Amino acid sequence: MTSNFPTLVVEDLRTYFYTKAGVVKAVDGISFTVDRGEILGLVGESGSGKTVTGFSIMGLVDPPGRVAGGRILFKGDDIAGLPDDAMRTLRGNRIAMIFQDPMMTLNPVLRIDTQMIEAIKAHNAVSNDEARRRARDILGRVGIPSPDERLKAYPHQFSGGMRQRVSIAIALLNDPDLIVADEPTTALDVTIQGQILYEVQKLCRESRTAMIWITHDLSVIAGLADRISVMYAGRIVESGQVDEVLDRPLHPYTRGLIGSVPSENRRGVPLAQIPGMTPSLLNLPPGCAFRARCPRADNACLTPPEMTLAAPGREVRCFHPHLA
Amino acid sequence: MTVFITRRLLQSCLVIFVMSLIVFFGVNVIGNPIDILINPEADQAEIERAIKALGLDRPIHEQYLVFIQRAFEGDLGRSFVFGEPALKLIMQRMPATLELALCAMLISIVLGIPLGMWAGLKPESAAGKSIMGFSILGFSLPSFWVGIMLIMIFAVMLGVLPSTGRGQTVGLFGLQVSFLTWDGLAHLLLPAVNLALFKLSLVIRLARAGTREVVLQDYVKFARAKGLSPSRIVLVHVMKNIMIPVVTILGLELGSVIAFSVVTETIFAWPGMGKLIIDSINLLDRPVIVAYLLMTVFMFITINLVVDILYSILDPRVRLQDIKG
């Protein structure tokens, strides 16, 4: 089954939370595309709306939040307003998600096989034996030794890294077209992180799965993603090929992010910090949301900047980008 | 697991021994049963004879040793009042109480868990709020008052249910039970509801609190992300997690329901153990009191053991620790 549509096209997605204190525009008009075999890195600080973006695609935004506007085209079909029943046939089947904290995502009182088999049987009419075989094969594929025995284990009998492998295996069970990975390596130590990154990348390339990798860690994204989109206060401020964005960031915020990553080259020099904090999404100042923290801000920034094409495949939302 | 059970059994024996000491000496320092039992006009020789017959003339530690010795032979003493073995008296009354208690427990589990989970899943809905309101009433209304009201409404005003007694009973495995006949069931209903009300409220609150906590967990969201049906998420992923606190409390409560269903049994004239202990305390029937208390201890210990074993079935993390221990 091949279609001409890209796996996922997000157009002007808006996810708002209607709280008592006011409307929180957690995601405020973002657009991006991910195609088969491609990994898109979604980068930003805590509270920039990247996780909410992931949940919006999954149709898992809990009240008081909801998708207030825009389109989510999955292989050409808009799934943004889909009723929950219809969405459920996609979730875990065509679109899977990996969560941040592997200690929390597996149900502590159910065995691994129960948790894997139920995910297969929710979408396929297969026998228990068949489902178990598939679960075992995939556990093996994500690098879990003696998967037959491990199937019978409970989550607490696994280490953090192993649990995340299990979550990844669960995401892969139904051979999805799209995987939304929400900081899956943040809670792991660095050596495990490296292994998992390598394996996810390999699995993704082999099966030509599209992937959105949500993270705040630029060093993770550098070796993993094809393209990245940088989010700030619910909007994408810069996007492009990963090398170009990391080597020649256009937006002052992206520059700030890259400057705050520790590096060998600048040993002994204090780390650059972005002054200030992410603004409250409840009442964003008019104009550019980054204005108050930006070294280049001036009166022009009092009106909201639009996404503009800076170079082929490079977009930036800034009046004063760092053009060479 | 075997090590765990053996260790628990040894602990249990120790607890029973200590309890027997406390109960026996405690009960034997209050009052003088002879004053109550014997005709006030009896002469000194008769009183002496009565004291001797009941074994009260010997020093208390000797009485205790005799008691312990006989206890190992399955004899917990003879009732002063009925002249029958205390254990036999209790055992005769036990099926009635057990039936009532288990029935009340069943009502609180079968109604309490679904209602509590409903209230936990939809805390803001009218149904959720009504359920919580009901549980507050169930908690705070005194049991005896509710019992009287139930009799007033269903027995006196509506006249649809009988107010006292056990009704027609049939033998089941040598025990007399009410729940197999319509008449018995009708008699069972009011006292069981009365006894269940407090436990029901407790289960509702536990289930609600557990549900509200569990639905926020990542693993529930992850289960949704797997595309599972809401019924599977609620009935498997949520329910299995909230059962741990519910089972603990229910286990403890089962013991207390059996041992202290006194109020309900008195109001509905239910011929169970609760009524026996009240009568025995009034008459200072020491052997029955001692035997009853020891039975109660034994029951609590057994229930706790069963709860611990159930735990390990529900929560795999407990199992591992036990094996290590």
Side-chain angles (χ1 to χ4, degrees):
Chain A
M1 194 184 82
T2 51
S3 64
N4 298 323
F5 294 106
T7 308
L8 185 78
V9 179
V10 171
E11 283 176 359
D12 196 33
L13 174 69
R14 290 162 199 274
T15 304
Y16 295 170
F17 287 78
Y18 298 87
T19 65
K20 280 181 185 147
V23 178
V24 178
K25 297 177 177 178
V27 174
D28 194 15
I30 68 168
S31 306
F32 57 82
T33 302
V34 201
D35 208 349
R36 271 179 292 280
E38 194 177 39
I39 301 179
L40 171 74
L42 206 52
V43 187
E45 282 171 279
S46 308
S48 61
K50 43 194 204 312
T51 298
V52 176
T53 305
F55 283 138
S56 303
I57 296 166
M58 295 296 291
L60 285 177
V61 179
D62 286 320
R66 64 183 171 85
V67 175
R71 301 203 295 166
I72 302 169
L73 298 170
F74 178 69
K75 300 207 285 192
D77 301 320
D78 190 0
I79 58 169
L82 226 49
D84 200 57
D85 276 350
M87 199 61 215
R88 206 168 65 231
T89 60
L90 290 175
R91 278 204 292 262
N93 186 18
R94 308 317 329 139
I95 311 177
M97 187 158 182
I98 307 169
F99 284 41
Q100 175 169 5
D101 188 351
M103 306 311 255
M104 304 298 295
T105 48
L106 298 172
N107 193 321
V109 301
L110 298 176
R111 291 200 325 209
I112 299 299
D113 53 359
T114 316
Q115 303 194 44
M116 293 187 82
I117 289 169
E118 67 180 4
I120 297 175
K121 297 192 81 171
H123 302 289
N124 306 281
V126 294
S127 68
N128 268 330
D129 288 345
E130 170 63 29
R132 175 178 294 274
R133 251 196 311 282
R134 203 195 295 180
R136 181 198 59 200
D137 291 347
I138 292 178
L139 271 192
R141 255 173 69 197
V142 297
I144 296 209
S146 49
D148 264 317
E149 286 164 40
R150 300 306 268 165
L151 267 181
K152 297 199 192 79
Y154 284 91
H156 68 92
Q157 292 164 308
F158 287 83
S159 66
M162 282 296 165
R163 283 193 216 190
Q164 195 60 294
R165 282 169 203 263
V166 173
S167 321
I168 293 170
I170 290 176
L172 294 172
L173 278 175
N174 293 309
D175 202 11
D177 300 313
L178 171 70
I179 296 176
V180 179
D182 183 9
E183 308 209 32
T185 57
T186 306
L188 306 177
D189 63 55
V190 181
T191 48
I192 306 292
Q193 183 174 320
Q195 291 171 13
I196 295 219
L197 284 175
Y198 169 75
E199 274 164 32
V200 164
Q201 199 171 20
K202 198 177 77 179
L203 291 168
C204 204
R205 301 271 186 252
E206 280 169 3
S207 53
R208 307 259 301 136
T209 311
M211 187 172 234
I212 299 171
W213 192 280
I214 297 169
T215 186
H216 63 262
D217 190 345
L218 283 170
S219 56
V220 163
I221 223 71
L224 180 77
D226 302 300
R227 287 182 299 113
I228 75 171
S229 291
V230 181
M231 281 189 79
Y232 187 77
R235 293 180 173 187
I236 292 178
V237 293
E238 176 165 10
S239 62
Q241 296 296 320
V242 67
D243 297 340
E244 291 179 21
V245 174
L246 294 183
D247 291 345
R248 285 180 300 282
L250 298 178
H251 198 283
Y253 175 64
T254 319
R255 257 185 108 88
L257 274 186
I258 295 168
S260 55
V261 175
S263 149
E264 278 290 322
N265 306 337
R266 285 171 292 155
R267 192 173 280 279
V269 181
L271 273 181
Q273 287 181 5
I274 304 176
M277 283 164 50
T278 39
S280 159
L281 291 172
L282 206 52
N283 42 14
L284 278 178
C288 176
F290 190 57
R291 181 163 47 97
R293 304 168 73 184
C294 182
R296 298 190 151 208
D298 61 17
N299 285 337
C301 304
L302 288 169
T303 50
E306 289 302 314
M307 207 66 169
T308 48
L309 203 63
R314 289 297 301 278
E315 284 187 297
V316 65
R317 188 190 291 276
C318 185
F319 292 115
H320 313 289
H322 291 265
L323 296 166
Chain B
M1 198 68 185
T2 334
V3 178
F4 164 70
I5 292 178
T6 320
R7 203 179 53 212
R8 284 299 309 266
L9 283 176
L10 285 175
Q11 283 171 358
S12 307
C13 292
L14 189 71
V15 171
I16 289 183
F17 171 70
V18 173
M19 265 310 285
S20 77
L21 271 177
I22 296 173
V23 166
F24 191 87
F25 286 96
V27 169
N28 275 282
V29 292
I30 44 166
N32 184 2
I34 295 297
D35 297 344
I36 298 170
L37 288 170
I38 211 156
N39 185 345
E41 279 143 42
D43 57 24
Q44 192 59 33
E46 255 180 88
I47 292 175
E48 296 281 329
R49 210 163 39 246
I51 290 177
K52 207 169 178 82
L54 296 176
L56 297 176
D57 54 334
R58 296 155 79 179
I60 190 158
H61 62 269
E62 262 182 49
Q63 287 184 39
Y64 179 72
L65 286 179
V66 171
F67 167 77
I68 283 291
Q69 199 180 354
R70 291 207 180 132
F72 275 107
E73 294 158 8
D75 176 11
L76 290 178
R78 268 174 184 278
S79 162
F80 294 163
V81 181
F82 300 95
E84 284 192 63
L87 202 58
K88 189 179 155 205
L89 275 175
I90 293 170
M91 284 306 177
Q92 276 171 352
R93 308 291 192 98
M94 193 126 126
T97 298
L98 276 183
E99 187 177 16
L100 183 63
L102 290 177
C103 199
M105 237 32 194
L106 199 70
I107 292 176
S108 25
I109 295 170
V110 169
L111 290 179
I113 292 176
L115 286 177
M117 287 182 75
W118 185 275
L121 290 171
K122 303 196 184 309
E124 297 303 325
S125 68
K129 284 181 176 160
S130 317
I131 292 170
M132 288 323 285
F134 166 80
S135 87
I136 290 171
L137 284 184
F139 253 126
S140 36
L141 293 179
S143 178
F144 73 89
W145 184 82
V146 175
I148 292 167
M149 285 301 118
L150 286 174
I151 291 178
M152 278 279 286
I153 294 168
F154 292 100
V156 180
M157 289 161 72
L158 299 175
V160 287
L161 289 170
S163 62
T164 56
R166 269 190 96 181
Q168 193 189 345
T169 57
V170 287
L172 180 76
F173 305 123
L175 299 173
Q176 291 295 311
V177 294
S178 302
F179 73 94
L180 289 175
T181 65
W182 280 116
D183 183 49
L185 213 53
H187 279 84
L188 185 59
L189 193 60
L190 284 187
V193 166
N194 184 213
L195 193 57
L197 199 60
F198 185 83
K199 312 295 160 207
L200 177 62
S201 311
L202 193 68
V203 173
I204 287 177
R205 298 201 145 243
L206 281 172
R208 176 180 180 266
T211 306
R212 291 203 66 178
E213 200 181 301
V214 168
V215 289
L216 296 178
Q217 298 291 321
D218 268 3
Y219 55 75
V220 172
K221 200 150 197 175
F222 189 63
R224 287 169 67 199
K226 288 196 290 190
L228 303 182
S229 65
S231 60
R232 172 139 188 121
I233 292 174
V234 170
L235 295 179
V236 177
H237 285 256
V238 176
M239 193 149 104
K240 211 170 171 203
N241 275 287
I242 67 162
M243 285 312 281
I244 296 165
V246 173
V247 166
T248 319
I249 298 297
L250 279 184
L252 293 174
E253 290 293 322
L254 177 63
S256 74
V257 168
I258 296 172
F260 307 114
S261 58
V262 182
V263 176
T264 301
E265 287 187 7
T266 312
I267 294 172
F268 292 92
W270 189 263
M273 300 193 299
K275 210 159 162 343
L276 176 71
I277 184 70
I278 285 290
D279 294 344
S280 303
I281 289 171
N282 283 335
L283 293 172
L284 268 183
D285 197 346
R286 284 180 185 165
V288 178
I289 302 174
V290 171
Y292 179 85
L293 289 176
L294 281 182
M295 281 296 295
T296 309
V297 172
F298 182 73
M299 214 153 55
F300 267 90
I301 286 173
T302 314
I303 290 169
N304 274 343
L305 188 66
V306 172
V307 167
D308 277 345
I309 293 169
L310 266 185
Y311 243 23
S312 66
I313 295 170
L314 282 173
D315 191 343
R317 289 163 292 188
V318 174
R319 216 172 304 165
L320 191 77
Q321 283 157 16
D322 291 338
I323 292 165
K324 277 178 189 160

